[in-house]
Amino acid sequence: MALTDATSTTGTPAALGSSARRATFVLPADVKAVGEARRRVLERLSSWGVTQDGCDTAVLVVSELFTNSVVHTASRTITCSLRATPDQLRIQVADDGSCQSAPMPQRAGVHDEEGRGLMLVKTVSRRWGAGPTEDGDGRAVWADLPTHLRA
């Protein structure tokens, strides 16, 4: 897989259209819920016919975005949304608005145990960004990936 430098934007991503497959779930903002988020994404994408490589990449992105919401906000719940077309998969993780700062990729040192999550998201995504949730009360971080459907 060739690694690219994904485009980062602020605001709401472009709509995928009404024919996109959709799934949304809400979990407690707790590190114990990260594994459940990964399990739900893998289950849903597998049922949609996404390849194992596509599922693995999506699970990585969900894990990083969900963990960031848990660690860097005081949210009580986190909402994860999946939208898929034949060409594109959008993953969005939204908090309940308890943090005002925008997520920014960091440069982690060789011995640092943290600080690589958004760089991973940036590397495996076509585009990613952050902006207000639809209701304007929270922040949503999203990433667009290729869908990689099974033949």
Side-chain angles (χ1 to χ4, degrees):
M1 171 173 87
L3 300 179
T4 61
D5 191 15
T7 302
S8 171
T9 65
T10 56
T12 305
L16 292 182
S18 60
S19 64
R21 291 181 176 199
R22 302 169 185 273
T24 301
F25 57 89
V26 180
L27 293 171
D30 185 293
V31 292
K32 296 174 187 170
V34 177
E36 178 65 13
R38 288 191 296 253
R39 185 191 67 72
R40 288 186 185 198
V41 167
L42 179 59
E43 182 178 275
R44 179 58 55 143
L45 295 182
S46 294
S47 76
W48 288 350
V50 175
T51 65
Q52 187 63 51
D53 284 346
C55 287
D56 290 346
T57 302
V59 166
L60 170 70
V61 169
V62 165
S63 185
E64 295 301 336
L65 297 183
F66 199 99
T67 299
N68 281 351
S69 287
V70 169
V71 171
H72 298 293
T73 74
S75 297
R76 294 189 327 201
T77 60
I78 297 171
T79 303
C80 181
S81 301
L82 306 172
R83 305 287 184 264
T85 66
D87 300 323
Q88 185 168 301
L89 171 65
R90 175 163 301 135
I91 299 167
Q92 180 173 290
V93 175
D95 63 46
D96 63 13
S98 58
C99 183
Q100 298 302 316
S101 64
M104 297 293 295
Q106 304 296 313
R107 291 193 182 266
V110 173
H111 300 290
D112 291 341
E113 293 184 18
E114 297 177 342
R116 292 176 182 83
L118 285 178
M119 290 303 292
L120 287 171
V121 171
K122 179 180 176 184
T123 299
V124 300
S125 302
R126 289 178 174 166
R127 284 175 301 283
W128 76 279
T133 55
E134 289 180 18
D135 64 10
D137 290 337
R139 181 188 54 225
V141 183
W142 54 271
D144 287 342
L145 310 170
T147 301
H148 294 295
L149 295 174
R150 289 187 291 268

